[in-house]
Amino acid sequence: MTATKTTLGVLAAGAALTLTATACGSGDTAASEGGLTPVSVGVLPITAVAPLYLGVEQGFFSERGLDVTIETGGGGATTVPRVVSGELDFAFGNVASLIIAREQGLPLTVVANGMTTTGDADTDYSALVVPADSDVTDPADLDGATVAIDNLNNIGDTSVRNSVRVAGGDPTDLDFIELAFPDMPGALDNGQVDAAWVVEPFLTVALQQGATQIAGNFVDLHPELSIATYFTSDELIAQDPDTVDAFTEAMNESLAYAEDNPEETTQTLTAYTEIDPDLFDQLRWPRFPARIDTEAVQTLAELMAADGIIDADPDLETLIR
């Protein structure tokens, strides 16, 4: 048990780290040293953003004239307003957050894919899990259960409801509570929640502590679902389309490189997290295609509308550049 607590503490500590490619921050107006344009990117401290760090390391962004500062922090609820205000130039956020932002009239546009489900529940980096001693063996058994997710009315509860629905259960009879991903393995272990939606690296920690996977919630939603993407403000697109194009091109090359070089992608975790390297071989990874499957995003949007999270289906042609 001591070792488990230490691992969780290290993971949580890693969540506070920020890797900075240069000394330039958001809002700098002058070109950085060497004539590069400074851009800031807000991300979560999770395995799925490894391609961005890898791309900076490989020089894909500097080759296109960009000097990237990566800021590690919260999810879409935090980064969306920072991108809208211009405090951040780009950010990584789940697709549901961006669909909600667009419906609210916020001027944000997706410019590159972030990650895509593997399409295989046994290998996907996200899962719905229950404690080791749980009687729940299927999502349909979750009627009335308390389920941990990282943000209410977002991709977590939408995808979990869908998994319950697909399994023949009642998706309306769930009690969702917000917990940070690093806290979920402990909440499962101490009986605070009946189930949790967990992503890597915390999924591996939870499974090591004895948790049992009962569904691959993203796979259940759509096997080609782009879970998260990189986005920017419409203002930046209008004022500096060349910089946006350069970022998109560099990000696409980074995604392709990450797909082709999984060992390098894994080792990149040492640059921005303090995940125990002993866990590296056990971590599950998403896929990193450059293409965003709009049919899959449409499926997500329809489920969000059915659950009352949004009022109507979004215009994906304006959401995705």
Side-chain angles (χ1 to χ4, degrees), residues 5-308:
K5 288 183 178 178
T6 300
T7 300
L8 286 170
V10 167
L11 288 170
L17 291 179
T18 300
L19 180 146
T20 307
T22 72
C24 298
S26 177
D28 291 341
T29 55
S32 61
E33 185 177 350
L36 302 179
T37 299
V39 296
S40 55
V41 187
V43 300
L44 286 162
I46 58 177
T47 57
V49 300
L52 172 63
Y53 287 89
L54 190 59
V56 171
E57 179 184 306
Q58 292 295 317
F60 299 150
F61 293 88
S62 59
E63 288 170 2
R64 292 171 172 82
L66 302 182
D67 195 2
V68 177
T69 296
I70 303 174
E71 296 190 22
T72 303
T78 301
T79 56
V80 162
R82 295 183 69 196
V83 171
V84 171
S85 69
E87 185 180 348
L88 288 171
D89 298 308
F90 302 91
F92 174 94
N94 77 67
V95 177
S97 291
L98 300 177
I99 290 173
I100 293 168
R102 261 295 183 177
E103 190 194 44
Q104 294 174 345
L106 298 179
L108 298 172
T109 298
V110 171
V111 296
N113 193 30
M115 58 171 168
T116 297
T117 175
T118 63
D120 179 358
D122 293 332
T123 64
D124 205 33
Y125 101 115
S126 163
L128 180 60
V129 300
V130 294
D133 59 353
S134 176
D135 293 331
V136 173
T137 60
D138 186 271
D141 299 331
L142 288 175
D143 288 359
T146 299
V147 183
I149 56 175
D150 74 325
N151 283 299
L152 296 175
N153 297 321
N154 209 283
I155 197 167
D157 39 14
T158 298
S159 58
V160 169
R161 285 193 190 97
N162 180 67
S163 288
V164 172
R165 185 182 293 114
V166 169
D170 180 3
T172 64
D173 191 22
L174 297 171
D175 181 18
F176 289 104
I177 65 169
E178 287 188 355
L179 280 180
F181 285 125
D183 297 330
M184 290 185 185
L188 286 163
D189 203 32
N190 64 27
Q192 181 181 348
V193 295
D194 300 312
W197 162 52
V198 194
V199 300
E200 290 289 18
F202 312 106
L203 173 57
T204 289
V205 174
L207 293 174
Q208 284 190 335
Q209 290 180 185
T212 300
Q213 176 175 331
I214 60 170
N217 51 312
F218 289 148
V219 178
D220 288 344
L221 198 154
H222 197 290
E224 296 294 331
L225 179 65
S226 288
I227 304 151
T229 59
Y230 291 89
F231 63 96
T232 191
S233 67
D234 291 355
E235 182 178 3
L236 184 61
I237 293 173
Q239 292 182 351
D240 196 352
D242 290 343
T243 291
V244 176
D245 288 343
F247 179 85
T248 299
E249 292 171 5
M251 198 63 241
N252 287 346
E253 185 172 5
S254 300
L255 293 167
Y257 191 87
E259 284 269 84
D260 294 339
N261 299 275
E263 291 186 5
E264 287 186 53
T265 304
T266 300
Q267 288 304 311
T268 300
L269 296 178
T270 61
Y272 69 100
T273 76
E274 292 184 4
I275 298 172
D276 185 346
D278 289 340
L279 294 179
F280 283 1
D281 290 341
Q282 301 170 57
L283 295 176
R284 302 181 183 183
W285 288 86
R287 290 183 295 130
F288 299 116
R291 177 178 174 271
I292 297 172
D293 190 307
T294 55
E295 177 190 347
V297 177
Q298 183 66 42
T299 298
L300 171 62
E302 290 170 357
L303 287 170
M304 292 171 66
D307 289 338

